[in-house]
Amino acid sequence: MASSKGNRVFVWIILILLFVGLIGFGATGLTGNATRLGTVGDKDLEIQSYANALQSRIRALESQTGSAISMAQAQQMGLDRAVLGQLVTERVLDAEADALGLSVGDAAVSEQVLAIPAFQGLNGSFDRAAYRDALSRNGLSVAEFEESLREGEARALLQGAVVGGVTASDTHVEAMIDFMMSRRDITWAPVTLAAAPAALPDDGRPRVILPEILLDAEIPAPTEAEIAARYEAAPDAYTAPETREISYAWLRPEAVADEIEISEEEVRDLYEQRISEYVQEERRLVERLVYPSDEAAAQALARLEAGEARFEDLVEARGLTLEAVDLGDVAEGDLDEAAGPVFAAQAGDVVGPVETGLGPALFRVNAVLAAEEVSFEEAAPDLRDELARARARREIERRSEEITDLIAGGAALEDLAERVGMELGSVDWSEGTTGGIADYAPFREAAARVQEGDFPELLAFEDGGVFALRLDGVTPPALRPLDEVRDEVIADVMAETGARMRAEKAEALAARIAAGDGFEAAGLAPREARNLTRRAFVEGTGPGFVRAVFEMEEGETRVISGEGYTAVVRLDAAHPPAEDDAGVAAERQAIEQRIGTGLAQDIYAAYANAVQSRTEIRIDDAAVQAVHSSFR
């Protein structure tokens, strides 16, 4: 099993390097005729492999952050070193596998190639032309790619040999289960402030009235001395932040789009280009599981129909993942011989065996997608808006050159508004300011770093708009006058006083209950919570409540307080994990897998480091820099 999982991991690593936007990085385009980045033992480290892997890592980070990552930024984050280190480690293990005589045959490589969806045509059969074309676009030959698959399989065999049989110890697992899944029964009652409005006695001082059964006294309004003491003790709470007076000029795509006329013909042309999006025939979400023979496929279907296995089990038994067998949404014309039975099936059905270009296969229908049609009249407003915004972005790009020239020539923001139609505005900006231009992250970042006297700079928004700003003045952080924040200070003092009075009363009530009084006798309305685990949450409390419960001794009564609540709690019983609970069994399995996987990774990493320490590694720094230059 470890070997099988390793096979899939290495194959998908290679696929990621190939098919996540890496077109255009041919080896000769990087460093002339050079193809080697260095050597690891007797193994070459290819320039193309490093370029592809680095591009893949950058693209993955860009998809996560939603913004472009330059090569300089990637180097600052250490992506180049991490990628190179990973590739060196792989080549070290390739060399070690060779030294140990580990390899796989052509049949295993062929099976991996045939299972890759990117190399299959619309009818699901292997497309040799698409295979060669995809590899060529990524600077790889068929021989190089298949050798990389072979080496990946050999690394998987090596990994299986090193970490096979590594499991978590029973003692460790049981200790974790006892910690995570032991249970507690409690009786508890909140001690809260009343929701009554402030009363105004004869002296005119506001007071908050608490429930009579809990507190015998009102929360008194603070004295002038208390107000002053609070104001002086916590100046940060009453300090206005730095405010920056900023003028700006911006050009928004929506503003420019309003000036653009889009003809009916243009809209209809775009609708026709995307007709497949608006007029869709009935489709199915389908998974296809191929077998080497009709007999094997029929046996698998019989196991499924007898309830001896799920479709997922059949996929795993073939050494595949659900992602590898997923065809996505398909139309009848995409399936050839399988179209009839698949489109006659309902969601959840498994049909077959059906003969395909790859061999007999079972098909699972995951969903039925009804035919849909969006008319031109319905789609036209969105299409017209899209065309106008696209043209607006191009217009902004064109104007940006003129704006940049004007700024370089000393033009003020007011000049930009007059000469190129930018919208002029101003804002008193501080951290937390929202609305209008302050909702854009690039503006907030520029506003935070701009200094008085800086020349304006044309900057871009994510939506294609542009802006420039000027810092006109800075109001530093300042403690607001007491008269201005008096209400805030009074509220803070009264909140602290109320919390203290509540806690004191709660402690007295807890002492009564601990001495033998019931919750009702103490004037509290008790609530029960049973079978609490450490992951539980009790309504009306905060995150630390359950943690405090698990620190209590059985029979103990205590006060537990947190932000916004105070409660009297009695621990009625402590129970071990329920062995007949399916949740406990699932947790035990997850812990075993998590610990086992962690141990295996640590052992394998230690092994790889040991092998690497005795392997000669030579890296051509000039070749590395050439790869980095190709990204700029």
Side-chain angles (χ1 to χ4, degrees), residues 394-456:
R394 292 195 295 272
E395 173 63 16
I396 289 173
E397 290 176 7
R398 185 190 66 78
R399 294 190 200 177
S400 293
E401 296 183 11
E402 180 183 357
I403 295 170
T404 301
D405 290 341
L406 288 171
I407 291 175
L413 298 182
E414 292 76 10
D415 299 326
L416 300 179
E418 181 179 344
R419 298 176 64 174
V420 292
M422 297 184 78
E423 180 181 344
L424 194 65
S426 63
V427 61
D428 291 338
W429 182 88
S430 62
E431 291 290 343
T433 300
T434 59
I437 197 171
D439 288 336
Y440 291 84
F443 175 83
R444 295 195 299 272
E445 293 167 3
R449 68 172 180 263
V450 66
Q451 300 296 318
E452 289 188 77
D454 286 354
F455 288 102

Side-chain angles (χ1 to χ4, degrees), residues 1 3 52 104 116 218 287 300 354 363 381 412 434 486 561 588 610:
M1 182 59 70
S3 176
N52 286 353
V104 297
I116 297 173
E218 303 168 357
E287 292 164 329
V354 178
F363 289 81
T434 59
R486 174 175 291 274
S561 297
R588 178 177 284 107

Side-chain angles (χ1 to χ4, degrees), residues 241-248 413 425-430 433 443 446-448 450-453 469-477:
E242 177 185 270
T243 301
R244 317 190 111 209
E245 294 83 43
I246 291 176
S247 296
Y248 62 85
L413 298 182
S426 63
V427 61
D428 291 338
W429 182 88
S430 62
T433 300
F443 175 83
V450 66
Q451 300 296 318
E452 289 188 77
L469 57 79
R470 178 183 67 226
L471 180 62
D472 297 325
V474 177
T475 301

Side-chain angles (χ1 to χ4, degrees), residues 492-508:
D492 290 342
V493 174
M494 294 182 71
E496 290 177 354
T497 302
R500 185 181 67 254
M501 295 172 67
R502 183 177 59 199
E504 291 171 353
K505 188 63 178 181
E507 290 291 352

Side-chain angles (χ1 to χ4, degrees), residues 245-546:
E245 294 83 43
I246 291 176
S247 296
Y248 62 85
W250 63 333
L251 199 56
R252 297 173 294 147
E254 54 266 33
V256 177
D258 290 340
E259 307 168 2
I260 295 174
E261 292 291 333
I262 303 296
S263 70
E264 186 82 1
E265 182 180 359
E266 291 176 291
V267 178
R268 189 169 292 279
D269 285 345
L270 183 57
Y271 178 79
E272 293 299 331
Q273 292 172 23
R274 298 185 180 173
I275 193 66
S276 60
E277 299 178 20
Y278 297 112
V279 180
Q280 294 189 354
E281 59 183 306
E282 186 177 334
R283 304 175 75 82
R284 298 286 190 274
L285 293 179
V286 176
E287 292 164 329
R288 178 190 60 199
L289 184 57
V290 180
Y291 283 88
S293 67
D294 290 328
E295 182 182 1
Q299 290 175 351
L301 182 62
R303 290 186 62 208
L304 193 70
E305 293 174 341
E308 298 174 0
R310 302 171 303 159
F311 188 80
E312 290 82 355
D313 300 326
L314 301 181
V315 172
E316 184 175 355
R318 292 282 295 144
L320 300 171
T321 64
L322 290 175
E323 291 80 5
V325 301
D326 185 18
L327 297 182
D329 61 295
V330 295
E332 281 193 80
D334 298 331
L335 293 177
D336 295 337
E337 294 87 348
V342 167
F343 274 77
Q346 300 300 314
D349 290 351
V350 177
V351 299
V354 178
E355 190 63 37
T356 70
L358 297 176
L362 301 181
F363 289 81
R364 179 167 71 171
V365 179
N366 290 315
V368 174
L369 306 179
E372 295 182 357
E373 180 173 352
V374 178
S375 68
F376 171 74
E377 289 72 20
E378 293 173 308
D382 288 339
L383 293 175
R384 182 174 286 104
D385 183 64
E386 180 182 338
L387 287 168
R389 284 178 175 270
R391 193 170 296 173
R393 286 191 290 271
R394 292 195 295 272
E395 173 63 16
I396 289 173
E397 290 176 7
R398 185 190 66 78
R399 294 190 200 177
S400 293
E401 296 183 11
E402 180 183 357
I403 295 170
T404 301
D405 290 341
L406 288 171
I407 291 175
L413 298 182
E414 292 76 10
D415 299 326
L416 300 179
E418 181 179 344
R419 298 176 64 174
V420 292
M422 297 184 78
E423 180 181 344
L424 194 65
S426 63
V427 61
D428 291 338
W429 182 88
S430 62
E431 291 290 343
T433 300
T434 59
I437 197 171
D439 288 336
Y440 291 84
F443 175 83
R444 295 195 299 272
E445 293 167 3
R449 68 172 180 263
V450 66
Q451 300 296 318
E452 289 188 77
D454 286 354
F455 288 102
E457 176 186 4
L458 189 65
L459 302 170
F461 293 127
E462 301 91 333
D463 62 3
V466 294
F467 72 99
L469 57 79
R470 178 183 67 226
L471 180 62
D472 297 325
V474 177
T475 301
L479 182 63
R480 293 181 288 171
L482 177 56
D483 286 345
E484 183 181 324
V485 296
R486 174 175 291 274
D487 290 344
E488 295 178 39
V489 177
I490 290 173
D492 290 342
V493 174
M494 294 182 71
E496 290 177 354
T497 302
R500 185 181 67 254
M501 295 172 67
R502 183 177 59 199
E504 291 171 353
K505 188 63 178 181
E507 290 291 352
L509 294 171
R512 288 181 57 184
I513 294 169
D517 282 354
F519 277 77
E520 294 88 347
L524 295 171
R527 308 177 187 181
E528 292 185 347
R530 298 291 180 254
N531 291 319
L532 296 176
T533 66
R534 293 180 187 271
R535 292 175 176 165
F537 179 78
V538 178
E539 187 76 25
T541 69
F545 181 83
V546 171

